[in-house]
Structures are given as structure tokens and as C-alpha cells.
């Protein structure tokens, strides 16, 4: 992925750039809003990472300006402000995700890949099914099958599987699942997500030779081979 | 009756006695001088002009005048006088006064009897003269005066008693109001101050000193919170970097060291969780509570979502989850914070309930303006003497198996969220287990 990072904090910018390069991505840095807006508007990027508080032009104004000129490049906001209002404001203005500082590099890369992938899916034709290996989800009827067998899922389990399959072969963190499936932006501090994943695994992987729901220790989960 | 009033009464009695003695002595002195003067005059008259002149004067002053102010008795031999009534006779001034004083308290039994001040003198070896001076009128005036003064003193004392009682009552009422205010401020942990608008100066002074103390506590609390915030904020960034590096390192270390790396990651997550909770508590406590006519939240939906999140965890532990959610009107609040509040409580309830136990979540209207959510478990509960302390950050219950669980900020965060929503959180015994009750105000019109 080609990433533009608009961040005025040198230490944070260096850390993020190092982590992205280490994960195999390209990264350029702009140190203020004005410079960042020019770079975003004049070059082609896969994902933008924009700090909320920037010198010259505020992060939200940068995103607003880009969206106003029809630029739909996925944007992830970085912010030290963890209040719900700020998160909502950022997403309303056209950002795709919101990450509160400080963050783990795994969390950042997982979220970047998720919004990049989501943008690609959105650009492609409208889908009525999700498929991976022998698992099929009918997005219209919410019917799930693996092989020739119907899998009966509770509504929340269905949403969990749908999110995992939308990001198949990608790592998704626990907080990404909590945000996307339950809409919670706090950490419950317990293994509550593990229990839900475990129940889903029982229904999806039980009696099948190839497990598809994997735990990535210390980070989250991955749906794939 | 207070000791002060007793002393006041004794002082008043002493003053009354002194006044009575002084007035009596003045009367005694006046009568003594009157009678002695007459005796001197008549003795001189007798010696210079003879017995005839003396008898003439006595007759003229006494026998021919029924309203005479003095009685005279002349006798050839000195003997006891024949006057009827209470009398006094003595030449000795102090002894005479004491006798006179004794006679004052000796009330005549016969109405015909009159009070007489008697004095006798030997005019010649064969002749003695006794003069009796009635003093009933003066005595009555003296008694009236003493009674009046006694009444005045009694009135003064009763007045002092009533004034003291009123002043004491007002002072105590003021002190009680101050103590109630102080207790409320300490309980609610707000920056409110004591009212200094008292009519009693000393209460105003006490309130001013109390406010200085509260300001001092508040300043220290803010300073402490700022230090905690800075520590939490400044430590979060390096800790996050450290976590990322450990996470990368874990992929490279030999299999036998992977467990150690996972433990390090767990420790980092625990610390980050503590810092995040501290910051969240700090933000909530520093802000003003929510206004009650803002965006509405369906409490039932929030509760149902949280219960749905935790139900599989309870089932895994073989704990029964019971829901009794009444239909309640919406309340003003932040859905995320309320979800976190109930998630924390439900998490605790499940964590401390043994297998085959039961966790019950109930919501009901307390009155038309308040809703109550109760979360009860059948765990070991919290002893009464720790029910208040558990809301303090990093407090650990005395139970030995509590030490390793959680980061010790869950209930502090619960309290901060409840206060932010202008609610009250209380802990009760569930016999067995714990019942947490949260009373929240419902939405009001703007």
C-alpha cells in the first residue's frame, strides 16, 4: 500500500513510518495540514493517515477539502482525543476509521488494510454473497453454509462471521470487532470476544478438516487458511 | 439547666442577699440614730431643767398624740419595758444589728402588735427612760423593695435562660446544617462550597475556615489528578511502542520463549488498560455532569446489548443469566458510557459468581423521574466496611483471591460514569452475593 501520513509529531510520524515500511508498505510524511493537503491532492495514494490536530490546516478540514473535490481515498484519523463526540465528528466528515493515540502498530496496520480492502470492495460491483473456501454467506437472506451443510447462527454471530469474511486473510483486532460488530469503543478488559469467537468456531470449523477461524496471539483473529 | 445558668442563679441570689443586708443595715442605722438622738436630748433636758421638764415633753409628744411616731416610757427603776410588740433594745451596734435582722424575719403573730425599735438609757441612778420607735411602715417598704429586686433578678435570670436556650438552639441548628452540607460535599466529591450567609458570626467564621479547607483539598486533588494524567499520557506512548516491539519479537523468538513473550504482551495490555481507565475517569470527573434534556438513549436497548455480549461468557461458566427489564422511558446520556458502565458491572458479577450461580439484571421505575438498574449475583459479596472503599481507584478487597483480578479501576469508572449521568450507585447484600443498584434520572423537558 502507498500511504501518506500527515502528522506533525516527529516521534509519532517516525514510529508509524517505520512500522508501515516494516509491514511492507510505502510511506511518505507531511508535517502540517497545508503540505499534506497539497500532497494528497496532487499524488495518488492508497490510504491517508491524518492527525486530528495539525498546524496551518486542521486534520478535519483537510479531509473535508479532499471529500469536497471528490477524492474518495480511504482516510484513517489519528487522534489523542478519545471522546465519542470527536470520533463521531471525524467519521461524519468522511473519514473511514478512527484510531486513538497511542496505538499498537498491529492495530494500525490491521485497520489500514481493512479500510483499504473495504474501499476496493465498494468500488467493485454490488455483491449478494460472500464466499471463502467452502463457506458461503447469502447477504440477502443471511443464510450461511459450509460445504453442503447449513450453519445456524445467532444474529451477532452472523455479523461476526460477515466481518471476518469481509476481511478474510487479514488480521482483525479485538477492538475492531467490538467496534464493527457491537459498536462499542471501549475495551471490556476480559475474554468476552474470545468466547464469542470460540462459539463461532464451534459452528463453522467443527467436523471440518480445515479450520478457518484462527487466533493471532497478542493481536486478534484471522479468517482464512 | 446548664452549669452557666446555675452559676448565674447563684450569683443573683448572692446579690439579693447583699442588697437585703445593705438595705436592712441602712434602716437599722436610721432608727438607731433617731432613737439615740432623742435619748441624748431628753437626758440633757432632764439634767439641765429637771424631771418636770422631761415629763412635760414626753407627755406632750406621746400621750396627747395618738399618731405619735415615738413611745416613751419613764420609770423610777430600770426594768423590762411594758410595750407590746416585737422590739429591740441594745446599745451595742453590731449585736443590735444582728438582733434587728433576726426580728425582721420574725413576723408578728398578733395584728395589733407593731414592730418597735426600743432603746433604754439610765438618766439618773433611780430613773430610766425607754423610747420605742415603730418601724412597721419602713419594714413594709423594705420588704417590698427586696421582693421587687428579687422579682427583677428572677425576670433577668429567666430572660437569660430563654436567650441562652434560643442562642444555643440557633447555633446548634447552624452547626448541624454545616455538618450536613459538609457531609454531602464530601460524599458527592464536588467542588461545591459551604454557605457563609449565616446570621451568627461564629458560624460564618466556621464556614469560611471549612471552605478554605475544602479549597485546599480540591486544589490538591486537581494537582494529583493532573500528575496522574500526565503520567498516564506520557507513559502510554512508550508503552505502546514497547508492546509493538514485543509483538514483532514474538514472531522471531524460539517456540519455548513464546509463552514468556505472551506474558509480556499481557502485562503491557494490563498497564495500557489501567492508563486508559485512569484517563477516562479523569476526563469524566473533570467535566460537568450531563444536562438532562440532551440526546435520549434507550436504557433497555443498552442493557439488552450488553447482556447479549456477556451471556455466552456466563454460559461458559455455567452461570444462569436472568433479565427482568421493565419498559422505561428514555434517559439522557451517552450510550457508549452507559454500555461501558453496565459491561463493567456485568463483567464483575460473572467474574465473582461461582459455577451454577445466578446473575440477575433488572430495571424498573423508582418514581416518575428516576429509573433503577440492579445487577445482582450470588458470589461472595463485599463486606459492609468495604462497600464504600471499593469505589476508590486501585482498591482491592481483603479477600485473598481478589488480588490478581482486574486493574482495580472498574468500580471507580462506574462511579465516575454514574455521577456524570447525575445518578447514584449503591452496593447492597444480596444474601448471598452483591446487588449493585444504579439510580438514574430520566429525561426532562428543556
Amino acid at each position: 500500500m502507498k500511504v501518506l501520513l500527515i502528522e506533525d509529531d516527529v516521534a509519532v510520524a517516525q514510529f508509524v513510518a517505520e512500522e508501515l515500511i516494516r509491514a511492507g508498505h510505502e510511506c511518505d510524511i507531511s508535517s502540517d495540514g497545508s503540505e499534506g493537503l497539497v500532497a494528497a491532492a496532487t499524488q495518488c495514494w492508497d490510504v491517508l493517515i491524518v492527525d486530528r490536530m495539525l498546524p496551518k490546516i486542521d486534520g478535519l478540514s483537510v479531509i473535508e477539502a479532499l471529500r469536497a473535490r471528490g477524492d474518495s481515498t480511504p482516510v484513517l484519523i489519528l487522534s489523542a482525543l478519545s471522546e465519542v463526540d470527536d470520533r463521531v465528528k471525524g467519521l461524519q466528515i468522511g473519514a473511514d476509521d478512527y484510531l486513538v493515540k497511542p496505538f499498537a502498530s498491529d492495530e494500525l496496520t490491521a485497520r489500514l488494510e481493512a479500510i483499504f480492502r473495504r474501499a476496493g470492495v465498494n468500488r467493485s460491483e454490488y455483491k449478494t454473497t460472500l464466499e471463502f473456501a467452502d463457506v458461503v454467506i447469502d447477504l440477502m437472506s443471511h443464510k450461511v453454509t459450509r460445504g453442503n451443510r447449513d450453519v445456524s447462527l445467532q444474529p451477532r454471530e452472523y455479523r461476526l462471521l460477515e466481518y471476518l469474511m469481509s476481511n478474510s486473510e487479514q488480521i482483525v483486532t479485538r477492538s475492531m470487532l467490538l467496534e464493527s460488530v457491537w459498536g462499542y469503543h471501549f475495551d471490556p478488559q476480559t475474554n468476552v470476544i474470545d468466547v464469542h469467537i470460540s462459539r463461532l468456531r464451534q459452528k463453522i470449523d467443527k467436523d471440518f478438516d480445515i479450520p478457518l477461524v484462527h487466533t493471532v496471539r497478542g493481536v486478534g483473529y484471522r479468517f482464512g487458511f | 439547666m446548664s452549669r452557666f445558668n446555675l452559676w448565674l442563679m447563684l450569683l443573683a441570689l448572692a446579690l439579693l442577699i447583699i442588697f437585703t443586708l445593705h438595705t436592712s443595715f441602712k434602716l437599722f442605722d436610721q432608727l438607731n440614730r433617731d432613737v439615740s438622738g432623742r435619748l441624748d436630748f431628753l437626758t440633757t433636758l432632764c439634767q439641765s431643767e429637771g424631771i418636770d421638764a422631761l415629763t412635760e415633753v414626753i407627755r406632750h409628744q406621746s400621750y396627747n398624740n395618738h399618731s405619735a411616731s415615738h413611745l416613751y416610757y419613764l420609770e423610777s427603776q430600770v426594768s423590762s419595758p411594758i410595750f407590746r410588740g416585737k422590739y429591740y433594745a441594745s446599745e451595742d451596734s453590731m449585736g443590735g444589728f444582728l438582733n434587728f435582722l433576726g426580728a425582721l424575719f420574725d413576723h408578728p403573730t398578733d395584728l395589733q402588735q407593731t414592730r418597735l425599735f426600743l432603746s433604754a438609757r439610765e438618766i439618773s441612778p433611780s430613773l430610766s427612760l425607754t423610747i420605742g420607735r415603730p418601724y412597721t411602715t419602713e419594714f413594709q417598704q423594705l420588704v417590698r423593695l427586696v421582693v421587687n429586686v428579687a422579682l427583677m433578678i428572677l425576670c433577668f435570670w429567666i430572660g437569660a435562660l430563654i436567650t441562652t436556650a434560643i442562642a444555643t438552639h440557633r447555633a446548634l441548628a447552624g452547626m448541624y446544617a454545616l455538618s450536613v452540607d459538609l457531609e454531602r460535599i464530601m460524599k458527592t466529591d464536588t467542588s461545591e462550597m459551604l454557605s457563609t450567609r449565616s446570621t451568627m458570626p461564629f458560624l460564618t467564621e466556621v464556614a469560611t475556615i471549612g471552605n478554605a479547607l475544602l479549597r485546599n483539598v480540591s486544589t490538591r486533588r486537581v494537582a494529583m489528578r493532573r500528575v496522574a494524567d500526565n503520567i498516564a499520557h506520557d507513559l502510554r506512548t512508550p508503552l505502546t511502542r514497547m508492546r509493538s516491539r514485543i509483538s514483532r519479537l514474538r514472531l522471531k523468538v524460539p517456540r519455548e520463549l513464546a509463552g514468556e513473550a505472551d506474558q509480556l504482551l499481557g502485562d503491557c495490555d494490563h498497564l495500557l488498560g489501567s492508563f486508559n481507565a485512569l484517563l477516562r475517569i479523569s476526563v469524566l470527573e473533570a467535566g460537568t455532569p450531563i444536562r438532562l434534556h440532551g440526546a435520549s438513549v434507550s436504557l433497555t436497548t443498552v442493557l439488552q446489548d450488553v447482556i447479549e455480549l456477556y451471556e455466552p461468557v456466563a454460559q461458559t461458566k455455567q452461570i444462569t443469566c436472568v433479565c427482568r427489564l421493565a419498559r422505561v422511558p428514555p434517559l439522557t446520556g451517552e450510550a457508549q458510557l452507559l454500555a461501558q458502565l453496565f459491561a463493567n458491572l456485568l463483567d464483575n458479577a460473572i467474574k465473582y459468581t461461582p459455577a451454577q450461580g445466578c446473575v440477575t439484571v433488572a430495571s424498573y421505575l423508582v418514581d416518575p423521574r428516576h429509573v433503577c438498574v440492579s445487577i445482582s449475583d450470588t458470589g461472595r459479596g463485599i463486606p459492609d466496611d468495604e462497600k464504600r472503599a471499593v469505589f476508590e481507584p486501585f482498591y482491592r478487597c481483603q479477600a485473598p483471591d481478589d488480588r490478581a483480578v482486574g486493574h482495580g479501576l472498574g468500580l471507580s469508572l462506574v462511579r465516575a460514569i454514574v455521577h456524570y449521568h447525575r445518578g447514584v450507585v449503591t452496593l447492597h447484600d444480596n444474601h448471598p452475593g452483591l446487588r449493585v443498584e444504579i439510580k438514574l434520572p430520566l429525561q426532562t423537558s428543556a
Side-chain angles (χ1 to χ4, degrees), chain A residues 69-83:
Chain A
R69 62 190 292 275
D71 190 332
S72 60
T73 312
V75 177
L76 177 102
I77 297 181
L78 288 185
S79 173
L81 307 166
S82 57
E83 289 310 290

Side-chain angles (χ1 to χ4, degrees), chain B residues 85-86 101-111 113-115 136 139-140 143:
Chain B
K86 296 288 172 186
L101 210 57
L104 281 180
F105 296 102
D106 192 5
H107 198 271
T109 50
D110 187 347
L111 289 175
Q113 282 183 332
T114 184
R115 287 178 182 275
T136 305
F139 174 76
Q140 284 169 347
V143 168

Side-chain angles (χ1 to χ4, degrees), chain A residues 48-64:
Chain A
L48 304 179
I49 303 175
V50 182
D51 187 34
R52 169 85 169 73
M53 310 283 269
L54 285 170
K56 296 187 183 173
I57 302 176
D58 170 51
L60 293 185
S61 306
V62 171
I63 301 166
E64 214 167 11

